[in-house]
Amino acid sequence: MIPFVVLGVLGLLFLALEWQRPRRERLALRLAATLVAWTALAALLAPPKFPALAARRIGVLVTPGASMAEGRRAADSIGTAEPMVLPSPGVYDPAHLARRHPELDSLLVLGAGVRDEDWAGADRFSVTAGRPPRATGFVAATWRRAALLGDQVAVEGRFVSPGAAPAQLRLEDLSGVVDSLETAAADTTFRFSLVPKAAGRHRYVVRAVGRNGATMAAESLGVAVVAAAAPSLLLLQGTPRFETRDLTRLLAGRGGRVAVRTRVAKDRYLREFFNRRVEPFERLSPELLRSVDIVVLDGLTVNELSAPEMALLRRAVLEEGLGVLVWRDSVARAVSRNTGSDQRFFLEFPLVRQPGALTRESGVALRGPAHTGASPVEVESSLFEERPDAVPILEDGSGRTLAAVLVRGRGRIGTSLVLTPSAWAYRQERDLFEAYWGRLLGAVARDTADRWSVSPDGPVTVDQSLAITLFSSAPAPVATVRTPAGAVDTVSLRREAGSTDTWSGLYWPASAGWHELRREGGGSLDFHGEPAGSWAGADRSARARGTARRASLPPGKGPAEGGVAGVPRERPMPRWWLFVVFLVAAGWLWAEGMRTRGRTIMQ
């Protein structure tokens, strides 16, 4: 900065001297030449840049499944371009290439390719995908990494045999085969179902077995199972129910806070409290509704609520996220267009009455499709209609919805067609009874705890990026990951645009094993990182899909328009140009000075 200031001061001084010379002829030319000379001298220190077309550079990116020799042969075959053979994205990812090699504007990708998430930051490349190697083995698999105790976990995917077709695909745990599928196709899809029996970190194996009994391929996966925290519940019923006793026992046994009000006669109520202090209440109040996560009521209770209570309950659902679960009694089934709007807000569901009997026997898909017929219970014969705001929660063995929730503002209102869930408890199928209520109450409960989401849903190996999403009301959450070795890493989170409670970040597992993702002062999520080299078929398939998808998109900065293929770049002006300009201007000033001095001497 100082040299430019000095040159500027000297330039102004020389301009002033030229202006004060007594001879005024050619004054404008002398001033212009002085200005040009000093400007050229200043530009020599920092040459200006101007846009120019640089020759297009093509990089040959060698990824797993291709060799460097193949990359060099591909570079030689390109011909007129200036190819550059680059190593695998395990060393240099495309975003790194974009930063380190600004001269590149095109990539030819050989081998399996690059995953979707690894193309971030490399939008300016024009991508051409070579023919990827054939992916074999378990080429796709998805499952839930975390599940609530009693929930059904589905493992879905695709197996491609490298040779003869397998005889059987299996899902195994430490005790043996959990689920299996007989197959005779070399390329087949599969879907396994399981219901973990205990909370904890569980490991499973998907295995392909040949006709001779030998293992053709096997991969492992992890599922973290946690016991659902019992919600705080307010139960209002217009008549005593047998099911109420079993539900309150279940929640109270898990530490849930439950308040029950049962109408036993006109203007007479029985009140019961479990794991909470006794606080007799005659009417609903804002404090009472804020102290619970779910309100369970029937149609008779809805009709008996006063207008202020109805408005208070409705506001708690829409604005504060309170959940409501409706018993299907005769009043709820008789709701129609003639029913008041406040009552319809809680009782109207997209249900179609069926001719014939009011109820039927049906299984419920709580253990998976293979076991739905083992425990039939009494259900209402009405059928749910599909509607955008209706979210199915439970189905029968035929795929018909048995329970659904309606999204209402920040809250949810749900109902179930299952009339006698306690039958499972008395048939020594307590796990079905607990799974039913856990899924139903969890679907409508107020969101008070952190919720984590980790993608992709399939296998995650060492050094593969994980997209982490946290749904939390904390103002500035701090996320940490405890590695299998016990070290603690911090994950940088940023708030999603347009959201107040959604945060996202990236994490790369550096070692295989169980990792614990946790928010300081909040909830946690366990996930398992698989060893490097495992799930090779799924990795190759994901790379091929990501590269093909990226090759189908236009580059962020395409070739320059015109007859010459190239990309716009900035080049500094050559210094010798500036030096020539300085010499010409300074030389003319010197010659003009000599001419003027000679004329003065002659005179």
Side-chain angles (χ1 to χ4, degrees):
M1 185 66 183
I2 295 178
F4 290 102
V5 173
V6 173
L7 286 175
V9 172
L10 291 177
L12 292 175
L13 179 60
F14 273 81
L15 286 173
L17 291 176
E18 288 292 342
W19 180 266
Q20 293 176 359
R21 289 182 185 275
R23 302 187 65 87
R24 311 300 291 177
E25 64 269 13
R26 298 189 181 183
L27 176 62
L29 289 177
R30 293 202 308 271
L31 291 176
T34 303
L35 184 61
V36 169
W38 285 103
T39 301
L41 187 60
L44 281 171
L45 298 177
K49 296 180 180 180
F50 61 94
L53 286 179
R56 172 177 290 187
R57 294 293 303 275
I58 299 178
V60 180
L61 184 61
V62 180
T63 65
S67 65
M68 292 298 292
E70 292 174 319
R72 294 189 184 93
R73 287 196 297 269
D76 293 339
S77 67
I78 292 176
T80 58
E82 298 181 49
M84 177 184 294
V85 181
L86 302 161
S88 162
V91 180
Y92 295 113
D93 58 70
H96 183 86
L97 294 177
R99 294 190 300 269
R100 292 292 300 273
H101 298 281
E103 73 278 8
L104 292 179
D105 60 5
S106 299
L107 284 181
L108 171 61
V109 182
L110 301 182
V114 181
R115 288 174 171 269
D116 267 329
E117 58 269 22
D118 292 330
W119 283 109
D123 297 337
R124 68 179 179 83
F125 288 132
S126 175
V127 177
T128 302
R131 184 176 181 180
R134 181 170 178 258
T136 59
F138 289 97
V139 299
T142 59
W143 67 90
R144 282 193 297 165
R145 292 192 180 85
L148 295 177
L149 182 61
D151 275 1
Q152 175 185 321
V153 178
V155 181
E156 300 176 302
R158 176 172 165 236
F159 178 79
V160 177
S161 174
Q168 190 180 59
L169 301 179
R170 299 174 182 170
L171 176 67
E172 304 173 354
D173 62 6
L174 294 177
S175 63
V177 178
V178 178
D179 203 353
S180 62
L181 170 68
E182 303 291 335
T183 180
D187 186 343
T188 182
T189 58
F190 60 87
R191 186 182 192 277
F192 299 133
S193 298
L194 63 106
V195 178
K197 301 296 184 182
R201 295 170 170 178
H202 298 269
R203 296 284 286 155
Y204 299 91
V205 175
V206 287
R207 188 185 306 274
V209 180
R211 302 195 180 281
N212 58 356
T215 297
M216 301 177 63
E219 301 289 356
S220 59
L221 57 97
V223 178
V225 181
V226 296
S232 178
L233 186 139
L234 172 62
L235 199 154
L236 308 173
Q237 52 185 358
T239 184
R241 278 188 175 77
F242 189 76
E243 300 290 338
T244 303
R245 183 186 63 180
D246 296 310
L247 174 59
T248 53
R249 284 179 178 177
L250 172 64
L251 296 179
R254 291 184 174 180
R257 300 167 60 245
V258 182
V260 183
R261 189 188 74 179
T262 305
R263 183 175 181 267
V264 294
K266 185 177 181 180
D267 298 330
R268 294 187 60 187
Y269 296 92
L270 172 65
R271 296 175 178 83
E272 301 172 274
F273 300 90
F274 303 87
N275 299 328
R276 63 180 296 164
R277 63 185 179 88
V278 177
E279 43 185 346
F281 56 91
E282 297 298 329
R283 294 185 177 277
L284 299 182
S285 65
E287 294 75 18
L288 178 63
L289 294 181
R290 291 193 189 101
S291 69
V292 298
D293 303 319
I294 305 172
V295 174
V296 180
L297 42 71
D298 53 19
L300 186 59
T301 302
V302 172
N303 279 349
E304 290 182 347
L305 291 176
S306 64
E309 287 180 303
M310 191 77 73
L312 185 64
L313 183 59
R314 182 168 181 163
R315 188 182 309 113
V317 172
L318 294 174
E319 300 178 6
E320 300 178 8
L322 178 66
V324 173
L325 183 62
V326 179
W327 292 104
R328 295 290 295 169
D329 61 358
S330 58
V331 176
R333 286 192 290 268
V335 66
S336 66
R337 293 183 179 180
N338 297 326
T339 308
S341 60
D342 287 336
Q343 285 80 5
R344 289 207 314 271
F345 179 81
F346 294 101
L347 302 179
E348 189 174 44
F349 290 88
L351 287 166
V352 178
R353 294 281 298 272
Q354 300 299 302
L358 180 64
T359 64
R360 59 185 175 91
E361 293 283 315
S362 174
V364 182
L366 291 168
R367 287 179 175 167
H371 303 281
T372 53
S375 302
V377 291
E378 187 179 13
V379 302
E380 185 180 329
S381 58
S382 301
L383 296 179
F384 276 96
E385 290 183 320
E386 291 188 6
R387 213 166 73 180
D389 62 340
V391 181
I393 301 301
L394 293 172
E395 296 178 346
D396 62 11
S398 302
R400 291 175 293 190
T401 301
L402 293 179
V405 297
L406 303 179
V407 179
R408 293 288 183 262
R410 297 186 60 185
R412 294 178 289 271
I413 301 176
T415 193
S416 173
L417 302 182
V418 179
L419 302 178
T420 58
S422 59
W424 288 312
Y426 296 103
R427 294 175 187 169
Q428 306 304 316
E429 294 178 314
R430 190 76 182 178
D431 60 324
L432 287 176
F433 178 73
E434 294 179 357
Y436 169 80
W437 281 114
R439 193 174 304 179
L440 196 59
L441 296 177
V444 299
R446 189 200 309 261
D447 288 333
T448 56
D450 295 342
R451 289 185 293 115
W452 292 95
S453 173
V454 177
S455 61
D457 292 331
V460 174
T461 57
V462 171
D463 291 332
Q464 179 186 336
S465 63
L466 273 178
I468 295 172
T469 304
L470 169 63
F471 303 92
S472 174
S473 58
V478 177
T480 60
V481 176
R482 183 175 295 277
T483 67
V488 177
D489 298 331
T490 301
V491 180
S492 177
L493 298 177
R494 61 177 178 83
R495 193 197 306 269
E496 290 291 326
S499 175
T500 59
D501 58 358
T502 305
W503 306 78
S504 61
L506 292 175
Y507 180 73
W508 288 263
S511 58
W514 285 101
H515 297 68
E516 182 186 13
L517 178 62
R518 175 178 294 276
R519 179 181 73 83
E520 293 184 4
S524 63
L525 172 70
D526 293 345
F527 65 90
H528 193 276
E530 304 299 334
S534 61
W535 292 95
D539 178 66
R540 287 194 173 188
S541 180
R543 287 174 177 270
R545 289 195 306 271
T547 304
R549 188 176 294 112
R550 179 62 184 83
S552 66
L553 300 176
K557 293 182 179 179
E561 296 181 1
V564 181
V567 292
R569 308 200 186 279
E570 287 188 342
R571 283 187 174 181
M573 181 178 291
R575 291 179 185 270
W576 68 269
W577 288 11
L578 301 171
F579 186 67
V580 169
V581 171
F582 172 75
L583 284 181
V584 170
W588 186 87
L589 287 172
W590 178 82
E592 179 66 14
M594 293 299 294
R595 186 182 67 82
T596 304
R597 183 179 304 173
R599 181 177 297 179
T600 302
I601 293 174
M602 291 176 63
Q603 290 177 353

